[in-house]
Amino acid sequence: MDSQNVKDTVRQIFTEYLNAHGHRKTPERYAILDTIYSIDGHFDIDTLYSLMADHENFRVSRATLYNTIILLINARLVIKHQFGNSSQYEKSYNRGTHHHMICTQCGKVTEFQNEDLQQAIEQTKLPRFSLSHYSLYIYGMCSKCDRANRKKVKNNIQKKEK
Amino acid sequence: MDSQNVKDTVRQIFTEYLNAHGHRKTPERYAILDTIYSIDGHFDIDTLYSLMADHENFRVSRATLYNTIILLINARLVIKHQFGNSSQYEKSYNRGTHHHMICTQCGKVTEFQNEDLQQAIEQTKLPRFSLSHYSLYIYGMCSKCDRANRKKVKNNIQKKEK
DNA sequence: GTCAGTGCAAACTTTTTGCAACTAC
DNA sequence: GTAGTTGCAAAAAGTTTGCACTGAC
């Protein structure tokens, strides 16, 4: 499915959602949806705000962004993550399942895919719970920070032995 | 392992960590570690702050709590979660690995264990990354909300048919 | 015309930071 | 003694809220 096709489809899904819930179909809402579906990977409210002002030439307030994102989450068109300080979001329609590695030192987030892992999670029997979606966050140290840390520890041990 | 034993062990691990990284062994840090290992389940900074003031009779500033928690996370004695608005923490030593189911309706967080799932995640090869811990958050609907929802939908349909 | 939705600014919450005082080493 | 830590208060960062105005229905 190409990018324009996806945008059309999600716009339609959103329209149905808005109708079903008695919400108004404002230009702001569609502009936000469009912008989000132009972004690859994660974004936060601030990034979205800048993107809309700069590229879409459609200024919306942060309050509206927060309001609209909640609708989009409920319509299952956006998912919310919470690593680092600010909430991160990403489009969810037509996007391959992926997991996240988060470096506890530098905060860098890397995505990776793994079919076996995905299957294992999705096939798990859950006690009295119906799964809608999930997030797997793997914390640890990226190779860069790991190297820096080893060096530091080594130095401290040497210092002590003097 | 009984509770006091665990506390002694984690204190020792922390001491080693502090030594290795050239940090000082202050009474505040050990008091915080002790308090955390007296808590079952999740807690946030504010709860920890109150607990220390009320029960331990050891007042530490929030700034120190934030600072120390970072050390404890790096020492792998505490893990951090981010559901809801504020960060949630929990002790991690000698605590069974568990996953989280979060109800998107009522926000209730339930823990569950699953050996197969745990193995599948831990045995996954990660590209240029050393795992320290991970969090699996499964979103969906708990049985209670699910029932309430079905009822509601049923009522709406009946109402419509009148 | 009405009321949901928007923009703006203020309020609020959580976390970080700068600085003086303190203390572990 | 001195540099890492602490406490405090101020600031920053992210999000929510109240209110007047706008525009979708």
Side-chain angles (χ1 to χ4, degrees):
Chain A
M1 212 188 285
D2 68 34
S3 163
Q4 192 51 50
N5 234 318
V6 171
K7 282 196 184 179
D8 289 343
T9 310
V10 294
R11 217 174 299 170
Q12 202 178 320
I13 294 170
F14 195 31
T15 301
E16 279 161 22
Y17 174 85
L18 293 176
N19 281 335
H21 291 78
H23 292 301
R24 291 188 180 164
K25 293 176 276 299
T26 68
E28 285 85 356
R29 287 176 175 166
Y30 286 102
I32 293 167
L33 177 63
D34 249 48
T35 309
I36 289 176
Y37 271 79
S38 304
I39 301 173
D40 283 321
H42 308 112
F43 62 91
D44 57 19
I45 292 291
D46 220 58
T47 308
L48 183 55
Y49 180 83
S50 308
L51 266 175
M52 295 208 59
D54 298 349
H55 294 262
E56 300 283 314
N57 205 29
F58 199 113
R59 232 188 116 284
V60 292
S61 68
R62 271 161 236 271
T64 300
L65 290 180
Y66 281 110
N67 287 334
T68 305
I69 284 259
I70 291 171
L71 297 177
L72 290 170
I73 290 169
N74 289 333
R76 302 209 178 182
L77 293 171
V78 165
I79 57 179
K80 179 178 181 176
H81 294 290
Q82 308 207 110
F83 16 72
N85 314 328
S86 68
S87 296
Q88 302 278 321
Y89 304 89
E90 61 177 312
K91 59 187 174 189
S92 63
Y93 182 79
N94 197 42
R95 191 150 192 272
T97 306
H98 56 273
H99 315 290
H100 298 86
M101 299 185 298
I102 303 156
C103 179
T104 48
Q105 193 90 9
C106 67
K108 193 183 160 202
V109 180
T110 313
E111 296 181 5
F112 72 98
Q113 293 192 298
N114 188 310
E115 291 263 340
D116 294 341
L117 199 47
Q118 184 182 340
Q119 292 235 337
I121 296 168
E122 285 168 8
Q123 284 169 8
T124 301
K125 289 267 179 212
L126 299 171
R128 272 167 283 117
F129 199 84
S130 71
L131 180 147
S132 117
H133 66 281
Y134 64 86
S135 298
L136 175 61
Y137 304 140
I138 295 184
Y139 296 92
M141 226 173 293
C142 70
S143 51
K144 204 174 162 187
C145 288
D146 202 20
R147 267 199 302 279
N149 239 45
R150 275 174 213 276
K151 211 170 167 181
K152 208 170 153 192
V153 170
K154 204 175 153 194
N155 283 345
N156 280 331
I157 292 170
Q158 287 180 337
K159 234 172 27 190
K160 230 182 172 178
E161 284 173 346
K162 271 182 198 169
Chain B
M1 209 188 288
D2 68 33
S3 163
Q4 193 50 51
N5 232 320
V6 170
K7 282 195 183 179
D8 289 344
T9 309
V10 294
R11 218 173 298 168
Q12 202 179 319
I13 293 171
F14 194 30
T15 301
E16 279 161 21
Y17 174 84
L18 293 174
N19 281 334
H21 294 258
H23 293 300
R24 290 189 180 166
K25 295 177 273 298
T26 68
E28 286 85 358
R29 286 176 176 164
Y30 287 102
I32 293 166
L33 177 63
D34 249 47
T35 309
I36 289 176
Y37 270 79
S38 304
I39 302 172
D40 282 321
H42 307 115
F43 61 91
D44 59 19
I45 291 290
D46 220 58
T47 308
L48 182 55
Y49 181 83
S50 308
L51 266 175
M52 294 207 60
D54 298 351
H55 294 262
E56 299 282 314
N57 204 29
F58 199 116
R59 230 189 119 283
V60 293
S61 67
R62 270 161 235 271
T64 300
L65 290 179
Y66 280 110
N67 287 333
T68 305
I69 284 259
I70 292 170
L71 297 177
L72 290 170
I73 289 169
N74 288 333
R76 306 203 176 184
L77 293 170
V78 165
I79 58 178
K80 179 179 182 177
H81 294 291
Q82 309 208 112
F83 10 76
N85 312 328
S86 68
S87 297
Q88 302 278 321
Y89 305 87
E90 62 178 311
K91 60 187 174 191
S92 63
Y93 182 80
N94 198 44
R95 190 152 191 273
T97 306
H98 56 274
H99 315 291
H100 299 87
M101 298 184 299
I102 303 157
C103 178
T104 47
Q105 192 92 7
C106 66
K108 193 183 160 205
V109 180
T110 313
E111 296 181 2
F112 73 98
Q113 293 192 297
N114 186 309
E115 292 262 341
D116 294 341
L117 198 47
Q118 183 183 339
Q119 291 235 335
I121 295 168
E122 284 169 7
Q123 282 168 10
T124 302
K125 289 269 176 209
L126 299 170
R128 271 167 286 118
F129 200 83
S130 70
L131 179 147
S132 118
H133 67 282
Y134 63 87
S135 298
L136 176 60
Y137 304 139
I138 296 184
Y139 297 92
M141 221 167 309
C142 70
S143 52
K144 202 175 162 187
C145 287
D146 204 19
R147 265 199 305 279
N149 240 41
R150 275 173 213 278
K151 209 171 169 182
K152 207 172 152 192
V153 169
K154 205 176 154 193
N155 284 344
N156 279 335
I157 291 171
Q158 287 180 336
K159 234 177 22 191
K160 235 182 172 172
E161 284 172 348
K162 274 184 192 168

